[in-house]
Amino acid sequence: MGAKKARPVTLQMIADQLGLHVSTVSRVLHAKPGEGLRAASSPTVERVRRLADELGYQRNPHAMSLRTQRSNLIGVLVPRLSDVVLATIYEGIEEAAAEHGLSTFVTNTRDVPEVQRARTEMVLGRRVDGMIFGDAHSDSGFLDEVAARGVPFVLVNRRAGGHPAVVCDDYLGGRMVAEHLLEQGHRDVAVVAGEPYASTGVDRTGGFADRFREAGLPIPEHRIVHSRFDAQGGRAGTERLLASGPLPSAVFVVNDFGAIGTIGALRDHGLRVGADIAVVGFNDTPLAAELPVPLTTVRSPMREMGRRGLRQLVRVLAGEQGESELLRPELIVRASSDPARYERLMAKVGG
Amino acid sequence: MGAKKARPVTLQMIADQLGLHVSTVSRVLHAKPGEGLRAASSPTVERVRRLADELGYQRNPHAMSLRTQRSNLIGVLVPRLSDVVLATIYEGIEEAAAEHGLSTFVTNTRDVPEVQRARTEMVLGRRVDGMIFGDAHSDSGFLDEVAARGVPFVLVNRRAGGHPAVVCDDYLGGRMVAEHLLEQGHRDVAVVAGEPYASTGVDRTGGFADRFREAGLPIPEHRIVHSRFDAQGGRAGTERLLASGPLPSAVFVVNDFGAIGTIGALRDHGLRVGADIAVVGFNDTPLAAELPVPLTTVRSPMREMGRRGLRQLVRVLAGEQGESELLRPELIVRASSDPARYERLMAKVGG
DNA sequence: CTGAAAGCGCTTACAG
DNA sequence: CTGAAAGCGCTTACAG
């Protein structure tokens, strides 16, 4: 038992069967389409292609990489793939990579600097052609080092230190939320702001706070708390908020998962989201719409961000200058911050 | 500007600087620890190691793979990484792989057979040493083919066709849910059963239905509907359930994300989860506990499943027989199916 | 204990 | 249009 693993077909095998030299076969099979010079005569090309097809030839990537010093591999670092935001961005990266004939290594760094370093070395040790970081810290020392070493890379999700980055216009997203809450008449608001080292949370908070300041309602410091980017973090941040003073009328949580924790904490304090207090999240993850009280949030083009990040990396690999891109967010209003929608919802449930 | 990418250090460079032959350096640096035979004299070993360290030598994996026909790479296929269940299993795989000196390619197949085929070929084209499938379909024709080709692989998450698989004891998990609902006095229940090609949903439903049958309460066919494994799927399945007859007193949704869709649909029909109808999910994903009405669910050891799956693959790669493993699930009762807990919750919120 | 050779599978100027 | 050679960086018996 146990099927023997067939030795893969090589160029040499094809050459032998056809009485050609391996270099001719190589030229035929892998001549760049743009290449003006013909690889061989039409009949030869035909024969080679046919046999390669028949035998199911697949180029040995290790041999090719060794010879060309190009691996067509890229490394992707994310804080954690179990965060649906990063997983979705990665799906975009992978999709676009496949279209460019590139394969991706993706790895979790849990936002721990030592792990970021170690995984970067590991990935570089694999001789990737370039990297995409989804876990940049605002203190960009590490990335500066990587850049100094000449490693081509781009950032997605979070920006840092002026390196080419494809991110959502988080500042604008924060302003949109502020605008919405101001329209709803909120005057005393709070923010669960995420990790202080992540541009996402910082920029969202910044836009939000700026807009309130412009409205003559600067947000006091104790109304802004940092937190981890998950349900636990949202819960913990909210508990601190509730302990630190009177109840605000609205809470902006800089990501949906945090918002879920916030909702849990508010519930534990006997507060009804949408009625007693407004809550707004960020990212419009799939469950925001499905929550018992649907969550107002800001939609960010996550998959598209991944696709564009990969495209920028391809440009960098081609020797061009990588460009930063700012993707447009969109406010999605739902019952968690809109009394009219909340009433309609309750009417249905109540009746 | 533009740091030049330094050419990586090779064995040859080290050998030259030390006046040694490259083969000696190779032996020193990469002799297996188990190897009884010494690679070189102590002083030589010392000098080589020191210089390698100093220069930051990293073995070129392409050269090594080409020479040894072993890539230390494994391919992982999942339906989608944006499903937190699969992302968490993958985290376990990656963790364990790193401990074994292996790197992983992971790729999304969206449960589409043509994509599964294409991605498998792509990954095999990268010359991985083995594969882990998290997206097996019960109709195991494709996997049988892969096995016949002699590709070493194991399954995680879903089992199929008797191939080595590390999965949760889904059947038992389903029985646990049934047991719990029977204790709560439910007699008329329904199931949102997931995709019919996935053993997870099928086994969970099977265990659940068997237990009810044993209790003398066989579940009529129209009370079991199939659905996609996400919030949208749960919502759609639940709508069909609600359209097909009188209201059941409890709904078992075979995964948490589906359950969220179910909760959304029930809400839209004016039903209060935990009061008017019980809902139970599966997997205990992080948000189950944070939902406004916390969700009863079955905890499955997702990360551990990934770790064990990788370990089984390592065994297979070592020429041993891969073994299937069944991991133990645990029922987590919360307010969505427990009137006592629900009352306590409401008392807090109401007050 | 250390060196020399062969070879993994490919690509790329260079001849002819 | 096609062949021959060199070489990417490594490992692995085999000599000595």
Side-chain angles (χ1 to χ4, degrees):
Chain A
M1 303 234 26
K4 281 281 126 290
K5 196 158 162 181
R7 256 311 193 61
V9 181
T10 65
L11 289 183
Q12 191 60 255
M13 291 172 170
I14 297 179
D16 288 350
Q17 284 193 42
L18 257 27
L20 288 168
H21 194 266
V22 60
S23 62
T24 306
V25 179
S26 174
R27 250 178 276 124
V28 170
L29 257 18
H30 305 306
K32 281 142 213 148
E35 217 96 307
L37 41 123
R38 315 244 342 257
S41 66
S42 303
T44 305
V45 169
E46 193 43 40
R47 286 166 64 216
V48 170
R49 289 222 178 109
R50 188 193 307 278
L51 185 58
D53 244 45
E54 228 176 274
L55 301 180
Y57 172 74
Q58 283 199 295
R59 167 157 51 181
N60 184 315
H62 302 121
M64 178 193 159
S65 298
L66 180 59
R67 178 61 236 242
T68 61
Q69 312 280 25
R70 244 246 185 200
S71 62
N72 294 327
L73 244 33
I74 71 160
V76 181
L77 262 57
V78 299
R80 43 176 46 82
L81 239 18
S82 54
D83 177 339
V84 70
V85 174
L86 274 302
T88 307
I89 292 173
Y90 175 68
E91 288 187 2
I93 292 176
E94 201 215 339
E95 226 176 75
E99 293 166 13
H100 285 269
L102 300 170
S103 299
T104 53
F105 282 116
V106 61
T107 181
N108 299 293
T109 64
R110 284 168 293 138
D111 264 326
V112 178
E114 300 83 63
V115 179
Q116 294 175 319
R117 284 198 124 79
R119 303 310 278 172
T120 299
E121 293 310 326
M122 184 276 220
V123 155
L124 254 22
R126 277 279 171 192
R127 303 298 203 269
V128 297
D129 292 334
M131 297 189 63
I132 298 182
F133 291 94
D135 62 346
H137 286 205
S138 306
D139 152 24
S140 66
F142 170 57
L143 291 172
D144 297 345
E145 279 173 42
V146 175
R149 287 163 64 179
V151 176
F153 69 81
V154 305
L155 312 182
V156 294
N157 186 41
R158 317 211 280 228
R159 60 187 185 79
H163 298 290
V166 178
V167 299
C168 176
D169 191 339
D170 292 309
Y171 180 86
L172 177 57
R175 290 191 68 97
M176 287 171 161
V177 175
E179 192 72 46
H180 166 64
L181 291 180
L182 283 166
E183 274 170 21
Q184 298 283 346
H186 293 282
R187 293 293 171 264
D188 182 10
V189 298
V191 185
V192 178
E195 301 279 15
Y197 53 70
S199 70
T200 44
V202 172
D203 291 350
R204 290 166 197 170
T205 302
F208 185 83
D210 282 359
R211 184 64 191 82
F212 264 87
R213 186 175 313 115
E214 290 168 22
L217 299 160
I219 302 173
E221 249 182 56
H222 71 278
R223 288 300 204 196
I224 300 182
V225 299
H226 289 286
S227 66
R228 280 190 6 226
F229 281 124
D230 57 14
Q232 298 245 344
R235 167 179 288 277
T238 304
E239 293 290 355
R240 266 180 290 140
L241 227 37
L242 293 177
S244 80
L247 202 64
S249 68
V251 183
F252 172 35
V253 192
V254 299
N255 79 89
D256 285 356
F257 276 80
I260 291 184
T262 293
I263 291 170
L266 294 174
R267 173 199 70 205
D268 290 352
H269 285 261
L271 296 165
R272 292 162 307 161
V273 168
D276 304 320
I277 187 164
V279 175
V280 179
F282 207 104
N283 280 137
D284 195 26
T285 51
L287 40 76
E290 301 293 344
L291 290 174
V293 176
L295 180 67
T296 296
T297 183
V298 176
R299 181 173 300 162
S300 67
M302 301 177 276
R303 160 174 259 101
E304 180 64 15
M305 188 186 300
R307 295 187 58 88
R308 283 172 190 262
L310 188 282
R311 247 180 285 160
Q312 283 297 338
L313 181 60
V314 168
R315 295 192 48 198
V316 174
L317 292 178
E320 294 168 59
Q321 185 75 27
E323 275 171 28
S324 290
E325 296 187 55
L326 228 42
L327 306 189
R328 197 166 175 80
E330 180 191 358
L331 181 74
I332 311 286
V333 178
R334 299 203 180 96
S336 72
S337 72
D338 179 351
R341 284 186 172 79
Y342 184 82
E343 286 312 321
R344 258 176 277 146
L345 184 71
M346 287 303 121
K348 229 180 342 181
V349 178
Chain B
M1 301 232 26
K4 281 284 124 292
K5 194 159 167 181
R7 255 314 190 60
V9 181
T10 65
L11 291 182
Q12 192 58 254
M13 292 171 165
I14 297 178
D16 288 351
Q17 285 194 44
L18 256 28
L20 289 168
H21 194 266
V22 60
S23 61
T24 306
V25 178
S26 173
R27 250 179 276 125
V28 169
L29 256 20
H30 304 306
K32 282 142 212 148
E35 216 93 309
L37 42 122
R38 316 240 346 253
S41 66
S42 301
T44 305
V45 169
E46 193 41 42
R47 287 165 64 217
V48 170
R49 289 222 179 111
R50 189 193 306 280
L51 185 58
D53 243 46
E54 229 177 273
L55 300 180
Y57 172 75
Q58 284 198 294
R59 168 159 48 182
N60 183 316
H62 302 122
M64 178 195 161
S65 299
L66 180 58
R67 179 59 235 244
T68 62
Q69 311 281 24
R70 242 243 184 203
S71 61
N72 293 329
L73 244 33
I74 71 161
V76 181
L77 262 57
V78 298
R80 40 175 47 82
L81 240 17
S82 54
D83 177 339
V84 70
V85 174
L86 274 304
T88 307
I89 293 173
Y90 175 68
E91 288 187 2
I93 293 176
E94 201 214 340
E95 227 177 75
E99 292 166 13
H100 286 269
L102 300 170
S103 298
T104 54
F105 281 117
V106 60
T107 180
N108 299 293
T109 64
R110 284 168 292 139
D111 264 328
V112 178
E114 301 81 63
V115 179
Q116 294 175 317
R117 285 201 123 80
R119 302 310 277 172
T120 298
E121 292 310 326
M122 184 275 222
V123 156
L124 254 21
R126 277 282 170 190
R127 302 300 201 267
V128 297
D129 292 334
M131 299 189 63
I132 297 182
F133 292 93
D135 63 345
H137 286 204
S138 306
D139 153 24
S140 66
F142 171 57
L143 291 173
D144 297 345
E145 279 173 43
V146 175
R149 286 163 64 181
V151 176
F153 69 83
V154 303
L155 312 182
V156 294
N157 185 41
R158 315 212 279 227
R159 61 187 184 78
H163 298 288
V166 178
V167 300
C168 177
D169 191 339
D170 291 310
Y171 180 85
L172 177 58
R175 288 190 70 95
M176 287 171 160
V177 175
E179 193 71 46
H180 166 64
L181 291 180
L182 282 167
E183 272 171 22
Q184 297 284 345
H186 292 281
R187 294 293 171 264
D188 182 11
V189 300
V191 185
V192 179
E195 301 279 14
Y197 54 70
S199 69
T200 43
V202 172
D203 291 350
R204 289 166 198 169
T205 302
F208 185 83
D210 281 0
R211 186 63 191 82
F212 264 87
R213 186 174 315 114
E214 290 168 22
L217 298 161
I219 303 174
E221 248 182 56
H222 71 278
R223 288 299 204 196
I224 301 181
V225 299
H226 288 286
S227 66
R228 278 187 10 223
F229 281 123
D230 57 14
Q232 297 246 344
R235 167 179 286 279
T238 305
E239 294 290 355
R240 265 181 291 139
L241 229 36
L242 294 178
S244 78
L247 202 63
S249 66
V251 183
F252 172 36
V253 192
V254 300
N255 80 89
D256 285 357
F257 276 81
I260 292 184
T262 293
I263 292 169
L266 294 174
R267 173 199 71 206
D268 290 353
H269 285 262
L271 297 165
R272 293 163 306 162
V273 168
D276 305 320
I277 188 165
V279 175
V280 179
F282 206 104
N283 280 137
D284 195 28
T285 51
L287 40 75
E290 302 292 344
L291 290 173
V293 176
L295 181 67
T296 296
T297 185
V298 176
R299 182 173 299 162
S300 66
M302 302 177 276
R303 159 177 260 100
E304 180 63 15
M305 188 186 300
R307 295 187 58 87
R308 284 174 188 260
L310 188 281
R311 247 179 285 158
Q312 282 298 339
L313 182 59
V314 168
R315 295 193 48 197
V316 174
L317 292 177
E320 295 169 58
Q321 186 75 25
E323 274 171 29
S324 291
E325 296 187 55
L326 227 41
L327 307 189
R328 196 166 174 82
E330 181 190 358
L331 181 73
I332 311 287
V333 178
R334 299 201 180 95
S336 72
S337 71
D338 179 352
R341 285 185 170 79
Y342 184 81
E343 286 313 319
R344 259 177 277 146
L345 186 71
M346 286 304 121
K348 226 178 350 183
V349 178

